Amino acid sequence: LEIAEVAVDAVLEGRIAAIAMEDLVEGQLSLGRIEAAIENAARACELSPRDPRTWSDRGCVHAMLGELRAAVAAYTRALEIDRDFTVGWHNLGVTLARLGDTRAAFCALRNAQMLDGRRACTCIALGQLLADMGLLDAALASFARAEQLATA
């Protein structure tokens, strides 16, 4: 029992530290401290390696820097941990679209939409992708759905 309590305490301490690191990363990004943000995003993943949010946050840092392949790797790691992590699917889809991989982007965004159909931002991202593919009717329907969600 004592060993189990120590293990639980370690996990909780790791998650609390990872949350603090995530907040620090956001603050550093807003202040333009990019190198520190990168280091702390990596540190958050070390502190809480089984938390998909830390990997998704790390992907966001890479995406902001234009390091799209590194962002895809981080989002993919988040999804390996939790296949139902909607934000991970959304971020992966947006990043794959930026890389020009429209088929994979569409699949990722559809996964995000199937997991949580109430996210207007996913409908917008999917609409933009569909418009870029020339599927204007489908794009308009996706934008209309986003508007419905945003005003509901």
Side-chain angles (χ1 to χ4, degrees):
L1 182 60
E2 198 170 301
I3 293 172
E5 288 173 353
V6 170
V8 168
D9 287 346
V11 168
L12 289 175
E13 286 175 18
R15 180 62 199 133
I16 290 167
I19 290 169
M21 284 296 213
E22 290 169 28
D23 290 344
L24 181 61
V25 167
E26 288 177 24
Q28 289 168 328
L29 285 174
S30 69
L31 294 172
R33 297 179 181 162
I34 305 302
E35 292 301 319
I38 292 169
E39 290 173 20
N40 286 315
R43 182 75 179 122
C45 290
E46 291 171 12
L47 291 169
S48 193
R50 301 286 310 150
D51 185 343
R53 294 169 294 191
T54 59
W55 289 97
S56 185
D57 290 346
R58 185 175 183 170
C60 289
V61 172
H62 285 299
M64 285 182 200
L65 296 173
E67 299 169 353
L68 301 182
R69 299 264 178 234
V72 167
Y75 299 139
T76 300
R77 179 67 187 121
L79 293 167
E80 288 170 355
I81 296 166
D82 182 358
R83 300 296 294 171
D84 294 333
F85 184 51
T86 306
V87 172
W89 284 113
H90 173 92
N91 291 342
L92 179 62
V94 169
T95 305
L96 289 168
R98 287 178 63 190
L99 284 167
D101 191 346
T102 53
R103 183 174 183 199
F106 178 80
C107 291
L109 289 169
R110 285 296 292 150
N111 282 344
Q113 199 171 49
M114 285 187 293
L115 287 167
D116 184 356
R118 298 164 294 153
R119 291 176 49 89
C121 61
T122 299
C123 292
I124 292 168
L126 188 56
Q128 184 61 55
L129 180 65
L130 292 166
D132 291 346
M133 295 168 65
L135 302 170
L136 299 182
D137 289 340
L140 288 173
S142 193
F143 291 136
R145 177 71 180 137
E147 184 177 19
Q148 283 177 335
L149 292 167
T151 59

